[in-house]
């Protein structure tokens, strides 16, 4: 059996699709499973032990030639089944173009994506706030016969060069203190706890832990303001690859942040305790997950659960952002301190 998984983006969602891949491969070790992903998330799947082949779609740098070459390579594989994990037009089109006889996904998809499929799973809305996204992604795998009990996070191996780079990044760390990584920024303003609250939390926390600030280059200004409040913190804005983050998180006692890719990646490492702060999105849908129930109890999601929550909107329709503003620095600090012991 040859199966193609299509989940192009985003980083956090690709990570949450990995347990479905693992469940398929460990249920059917002889199956050849491939994945089509966009370039930004590809490092999380390159050399993955459960994948036979990885197809990388280079939307920005590859142009038409990459598109045509990738399509030709996918069709040459003659897949028996293709799974649309993303549920968008762009992913469903690739499933249809793959040539697979079985095109599997959720009927409750967006942008008319279900019209490109011929087998449907699940009947829950896309943004069901009470249904974990990882469980939603497992449904197509279970439709093919995968054992959901085999679902777990597996990440590709980290090279020695990555470990050495992380050693350099953390060379100023106080090794006598537990390492706590803060990931305060996402792509949605409605996910982001106010920056001044992160700064106040970091100021109090720096005396009890070695803080590491994680963010992309675009987050440099925000992380600089936190670093000014907590001068002992190591600011790594724009300095880390995805595999760097895997190694950094494996050295952490706790990772705290928004509903964003780096925090989901921290969760996938299986090592740190997670503190997630939720605004527009649902902690039941996107909160920390583990195949080990005991590990789940180590994590915590913080949410005010207002009547307008979760809205899944990129802008607050009321303009007040109370879902985030009403979360106190004291509460977040206490949850982190509980987890670093």
């Amino acid at each position: 059996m040859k199966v193609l998984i299509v989940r192009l983006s985003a980083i956090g969602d690709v990570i949450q699709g990995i347990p479905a891949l693992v469940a398929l491969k460990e249920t059917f070790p002889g199956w050849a499973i491939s994945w089509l992903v966009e370039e930004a998330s590809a490092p999380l799947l390159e050399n993955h032990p459960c994948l036979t082949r990885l197809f990388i779609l280079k939307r920005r740098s590859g142009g038409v030639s990459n598109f045509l070459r990738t399509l030709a390579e996918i069709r040459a594989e003659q897949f028996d089944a293709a799974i649309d994990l993303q549920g968008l037009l762009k992913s469903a089109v690739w499933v249809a173009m793959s040539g697979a006889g079985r095109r599997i996904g959720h009927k409750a998809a967006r942008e008319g994506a279900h019209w490109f499929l011929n087998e449907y799973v699940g009947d829950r809305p896309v943004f069901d706030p009470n249904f974990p996204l990882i469980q939603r992604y497992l449904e197509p795998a279970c439709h093919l016969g995968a054992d959901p009990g085999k679902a777990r996070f597996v990440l590709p191996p980290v090279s020695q060069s990555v470990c050495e780079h992380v050693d350099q990044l953390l060379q100023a760390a106080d090794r006598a203190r537990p390492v706590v990584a803060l990931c305060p920024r996402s792509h949605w303003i409605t996910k982001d706890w106010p920056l001044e609250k992160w700064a106040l939390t970091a100021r109090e926390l720096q005396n009890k832990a070695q803080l590491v600030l994680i963010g992309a280059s675009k987050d440099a200004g925000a992380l600089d303001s936190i670093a000014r409040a907590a001068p002992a913190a190591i600011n790594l804005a724009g300095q880390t690859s995805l595999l760097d983050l895997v190694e950094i998180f494996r050295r952490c006692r706790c990772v705290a942040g928004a509903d964003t890719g780096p925090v989901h990646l921290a969760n996938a490492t299986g090592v740190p305790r997670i503190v997630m702060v939720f605004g527009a999105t649902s902690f039941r849908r996107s909160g920390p997950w583990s195949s080990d129930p005991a590990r789940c109890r180590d994590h915590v999601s913080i949410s005010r659960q207002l009547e307008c929550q979760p809205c899944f909107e990129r802008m607050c329709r009321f303009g007040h952002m109370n879902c985030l503003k009403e979360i106190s620095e004291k509460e977040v600090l206490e949850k982190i301190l509980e987890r670093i012991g």
Side-chain angles (χ1 to χ4, degrees):
M1 183 80 161
K2 298 180 75 173
V3 179
L4 174 68
I5 295 172
V6 180
R7 175 76 229 194
L8 301 170
S9 60
I11 290 171
D13 294 303
V14 169
I15 293 165
Q16 292 179 93
I18 288 175
L21 162 66
V22 175
L24 268 176
K25 187 63 176 179
E26 294 197 350
T27 303
F28 304 108
W31 284 16
I33 305 175
S34 300
W35 192 309
L36 173 65
V37 71
E38 289 178 359
E39 194 171 13
S41 302
L44 298 173
L45 298 171
E46 288 178 317
N47 302 314
H48 197 287
C50 293
L51 282 178
T52 301
R53 188 167 182 184
L54 179 66
F55 299 96
I56 302 175
L57 186 60
K58 300 178 180 179
R59 291 182 60 196
R60 295 181 180 176
S61 61
V64 175
S65 61
N66 172 251
F67 175 92
L68 295 175
R69 182 172 59 253
T70 302
L71 176 60
E73 291 174 351
I74 287 175
R75 291 186 66 86
E77 289 288 333
Q78 298 183 332
F79 287 103
D80 300 294
I83 296 173
D84 179 12
L85 278 192
Q86 193 147 1
L88 291 176
L89 180 61
K90 68 176 184 178
S91 55
V93 167
W94 276 102
V95 166
M97 292 191 303
S98 72
R102 303 178 67 182
R103 303 185 300 277
I104 304 164
H106 291 87
K107 192 164 188 178
R110 291 175 285 170
E111 303 175 350
H114 66 283
W115 293 111
F116 294 85
L117 311 176
N118 58 16
E119 295 184 33
Y120 302 108
V121 297
D123 57 2
R124 294 174 180 266
V126 174
F127 291 109
D128 185 332
N130 298 310
F131 192 53
L133 188 58
I134 288 175
Q135 296 299 326
R136 180 180 178 85
Y137 288 163
L138 272 171
E139 288 181 323
C142 293
H143 180 76
L144 287 174
D147 178 359
K150 296 184 181 296
R152 60 189 177 91
F153 283 118
V154 174
L155 295 174
V158 172
S159 68
Q160 182 62 32
S161 62
V162 168
C163 293
E164 291 172 357
H165 183 227
V166 171
D167 287 340
Q168 294 175 355
L169 293 175
L170 301 181
Q171 62 182 342
D174 181 351
R175 301 184 185 279
R177 294 180 176 178
V179 178
V180 175
L182 302 183
C183 310
R185 282 295 175 262
S186 72
H187 291 296
W188 295 20
I189 190 173
T190 50
K191 291 183 181 182
D192 292 347
W193 196 41
L195 194 57
E196 62 271 17
K197 291 179 177 284
W198 278 117
L200 290 170
T201 301
R203 186 180 67 187
E204 295 299 317
L205 193 58
Q206 67 176 334
N207 297 320
K208 302 174 179 64
Q210 173 60 66
L211 294 182
V212 178
L213 308 181
I214 301 296
S217 297
K218 66 180 180 60
D219 304 318
L223 268 59
D224 284 345
S225 67
I226 297 175
R228 286 193 292 271
I234 298 175
N235 186 352
L236 298 182
Q239 300 181 55
T240 53
S241 68
L242 289 175
L243 293 182
D244 289 337
L245 291 180
V246 170
E247 180 60 23
I248 289 170
F249 292 147
R250 285 175 175 164
R251 303 183 188 193
C252 289
R253 183 80 59 85
C254 179
V255 175
D259 175 10
T260 188
V263 180
H264 290 293
L265 183 56
N267 183 33
T269 67
V271 176
R273 294 165 174 83
I274 309 296
V275 176
M276 289 184 76
V277 181
F278 280 87
T281 54
S282 167
F283 70 93
R284 293 187 181 92
R285 183 177 187 267
S286 300
W289 178 89
S290 174
S291 56
D292 179 0
R295 172 64 64 186
C296 287
R297 291 192 290 270
D298 290 337
H299 306 319
V300 64
S301 298
I302 301 173
S303 172
R304 284 286 69 83
Q305 302 184 60
L306 304 179
E307 288 186 3
C308 56
Q309 255 180 303
C311 65
F312 298 104
E313 299 287 347
R314 291 175 180 263
M315 297 295 293
C316 177
R317 69 186 72 170
F318 302 110
H320 54 54
M321 299 275 288
N322 286 344
C323 60
L324 290 163
K325 290 180 179 177
E326 291 185 8
I327 297 174
S328 70
E329 306 92 286
K330 180 181 178 181
E331 181 177 4
V332 174
L333 179 64
E334 286 179 349
K335 296 301 184 185
I336 295 173
L337 290 176
E338 287 172 4
R339 277 148 188 82
I340 65 174

